Amino acid sequence: MQPTIVSKLPNVGTTIFTVMSQLAAEHGAVNLGQGFPDFPMSSALTELVCKAMQSGHNQYVHMNGLPALRGALAQKASSLYGATINPVTDITITPGGTYAIYTALTTVLQPGDEVIVFEPAYDCYIPTIELNGAKAITIALKYPDYSIPWEAVKASITPCTRMIMINSPHNPTGAVLSREDMKTLSAITANTNILILSDEVYEHLIFDDIAHQSILRYPDLFARSFVCFSFGKTYHCTGWKLGYCIAPDHLMQAFRKIHQFNCFTCDSPKQVALAAYLQNEADYLNLGTFMQQKRDFFRALMEKTPFRCVPSHGSYFECYSYEGFSRETDKELAIRLTKEYGIATIPVSSFYRNGEDNKVLRFCFAKKEETLASAAAKLTKLK
Ligand code: PMP
Ligand code: GLN
């Protein structure tokens, strides 16, 4: 007899990123769906990894992360955001941003807790909340600027509200939070027991001279927050799956109780390499300009297609509306574009629990110019 199990996620299928990347591969399509760069990462950084391996950094490092790397990250948080972060107690290196989010949610959620989540929402948030027996209270960002309807947030708070999740720059829309938003969040959470999870994996991918409003800039907000980051996004190495979480001591102690029995510790040579490479501030300080050029390059090409831009101010992504030329669902169009025109994208309805469809597709522009140009050329033929 085959053993049976009861799924903890009965309503979940395979993530849209895998579905669209697989479809792209089957049809030889240009993959502007899943978010990853198609250009090489820094060779100086890969050389540092090789050197670290060759010089024997191949055993477990400290369970909370290589001390030199945590020291460099605390220094960076201080110089970028004026934050006072204790590298010993407040930072844990994780195998990616997703793991940091999973661990933070698992650390705090009890059955019956409510978590306020803005939609469109990055696809791991709601399943992780539900795995922990908690309830996602979803609030739609205002289309088309994808701003937070703060009055709706206030109205959604109940005695069960345990956490509010924010994500800026935002995936999939490229919306960014302003200082005003952070002040409102401060006012809403002051004198409550509500925690915050701030997903800041795109902290450096921010455009149009906008300053990233990290939680780390706001001591009152930081006191109730888990802040999650990813080296994959900052150093063009999504396959490394390395990230970190910053949280105040009392929250981080609880986070580490979970972390120690899950992965315990992360890849040693890469941590050694990153600790050294973080000294190169220009690398991450220039990232916004570098990626903005790609956004603008792609945006100009897209003007020759029937799509209409829904402007992005950060991340790898820009959404484009097709309302003007098709009545298909976004999933239907994404599949048709992949099969018939050789372009894979992500339908934004996948980021809504109820499948809300504003007729927009997400395009990843973290690609070589030739990739973007060839994709746009195919789209100009679109009918
Ligand atoms: N959050 C958001 C908003 C993301 O887009 C990603 C993308 N990869 C992650 C978290 C996870 O990052 P990682 O690949 O480091 O797990
Ligand atoms: N974060 C990336 C995206 O939004 C992909 C991550 C994944 O495939 N899980 O496309």
Side-chain angles (χ1 to χ4, degrees):
M1 191 183 107
Q2 206 177 27
T4 56
I5 56 163
V6 178
S7 172
K8 289 186 176 172
L9 292 172
N11 303 320
V12 160
T14 302
T15 162
I16 190 70
F17 305 124
T18 301
V19 170
M20 291 310 297
S21 282
Q22 201 164 313
L23 197 66
E26 279 165 23
H27 293 272
V30 181
N31 191 352
L32 303 189
Q34 192 178 22
F36 61 89
D38 73 342
F39 45 85
M41 64 177 295
S42 151
S43 59
L45 181 49
T46 53
E47 276 162 27
L48 284 169
V49 179
C50 295
K51 220 171 87 190
M53 292 177 93
Q54 282 157 355
S55 50
H57 293 285
N58 299 303
Q59 308 308 330
Y60 295 134
V61 296
H62 192 282
M63 125 186 163
N64 300 328
L66 184 78
L69 178 55
R70 285 186 280 145
L73 292 169
Q75 185 58 47
K76 178 180 171 187
S78 162
S79 68
L80 284 184
Y81 305 125
T84 306
I85 302 299
N86 181 335
V88 177
T89 55
D90 305 352
I91 304 180
T92 300
I93 307 298
T94 62
T98 312
Y99 174 104
I101 294 164
Y102 182 92
T103 306
L105 288 168
T106 303
T107 298
V108 303
L109 294 182
Q110 301 287 345
D113 282 347
E114 294 178 357
V115 181
I116 292 179
V117 179
F118 299 108
E119 289 188 314
Y122 185 57
D123 75 337
C124 74
Y125 297 172
I126 294 176
T128 308
I129 292 165
E130 291 179 346
L131 260 180
N132 283 290
K135 209 168 142 193
I137 305 299
T138 54
I139 296 179
L141 296 171
K142 290 189 253 178
Y143 183 75
D145 69 354
Y146 293 107
S147 57
I148 294 182
W150 286 111
E151 287 309 314
V153 178
K154 283 184 207 158
S156 300
I157 289 174
T158 75
C160 295
T161 307
R162 180 79 276 238
M163 186 179 254
I164 299 175
M165 294 181 77
I166 56 172
N167 170 216
S168 179
H170 184 253
N171 181 4
T173 68
V176 296
L177 295 180
S178 66
R179 191 196 295 248
E180 244 355 89
D181 288 314
M182 302 309 270
K183 283 194 183 146
T184 309
L185 182 60
S186 243
I188 289 177
T189 52
N191 305 314
T192 71
N193 200 26
I194 299 172
L195 298 166
I196 295 165
L197 191 152
S198 182
D199 179 347
E200 302 188 14
V201 301
Y202 299 105
E203 67 177 322
H204 299 300
L205 299 170
I206 186 158
F207 319 135
D208 308 317
D209 292 322
I210 301 171
H212 172 52
Q213 294 302 316
S214 175
I215 283 279
L216 301 180
R217 289 182 190 271
Y218 302 89
D220 63 319
L221 287 173
F222 177 63
R224 55 176 77 247
S225 296
F226 293 90
V227 195
C228 302
F229 299 91
S230 171
F231 291 112
K233 304 290 143 97
T234 301
Y235 294 114
H236 311 312
C237 52
T238 59
W240 279 21
K241 291 302 294 188
L242 209 55
Y244 55 103
C245 182
I246 304 186
D249 188 2
H250 70 288
L251 297 181
M252 191 48 90
Q253 278 180 32
F255 179 103
R256 288 172 176 175
K257 284 193 189 185
I258 311 276
H259 166 70
Q260 67 185 339
F261 297 129
N262 200 354
C263 86
F264 177 65
T265 184
C266 303
D267 187 301
S268 319
K270 288 179 189 137
Q271 291 191 59
V272 172
L274 284 165
Y277 198 70
L278 263 161
Q279 309 309 323
N280 179 0
E281 293 174 8
D283 193 291
Y284 56 78
L285 293 178
N286 293 333
L287 202 53
T289 309
F290 169 78
M291 207 59 86
Q292 180 175 334
Q293 274 164 8
K294 292 191 179 295
R295 179 202 63 175
D296 293 345
F297 179 78
F298 187 59
R299 197 184 269 180
L301 293 168
M302 287 295 277
E303 275 172 19
K304 299 183 195 100
T305 76
F307 282 98
R308 217 191 58 243
C309 171
V310 183
S312 159
H313 302 287
S315 81
Y316 281 164
F317 310 111
E318 187 147 71
C319 290
Y320 284 83
S321 165
Y322 62 88
E323 211 178 359
F325 70 90
S326 168
R327 300 189 69 78
E328 288 159 288
T329 67
D330 62 355
K331 286 188 175 148
E332 285 166 350
L333 180 61
I335 291 170
R336 184 162 75 88
L337 286 185
T338 312
K339 290 184 175 171
E340 295 177 16
Y341 290 84
I343 306 294
T345 58
I346 300 288
V348 173
S349 67
S350 313
F351 300 96
Y352 289 88
R353 187 161 54 182
N354 68 2
E356 182 169 325
D357 183 357
N358 287 310
K359 311 274 177 227
V360 283
L361 297 178
R362 187 195 81 172
F363 290 77
C364 173
F365 53 74
K367 305 290 175 189
K368 292 183 275 205
E369 289 197 348
E370 67 206 64
T371 309
L372 298 172
S374 103
K378 291 173 195 251
L379 292 174
T380 53
K381 302 193 186 98
L382 189 62
K383 289 182 213 72

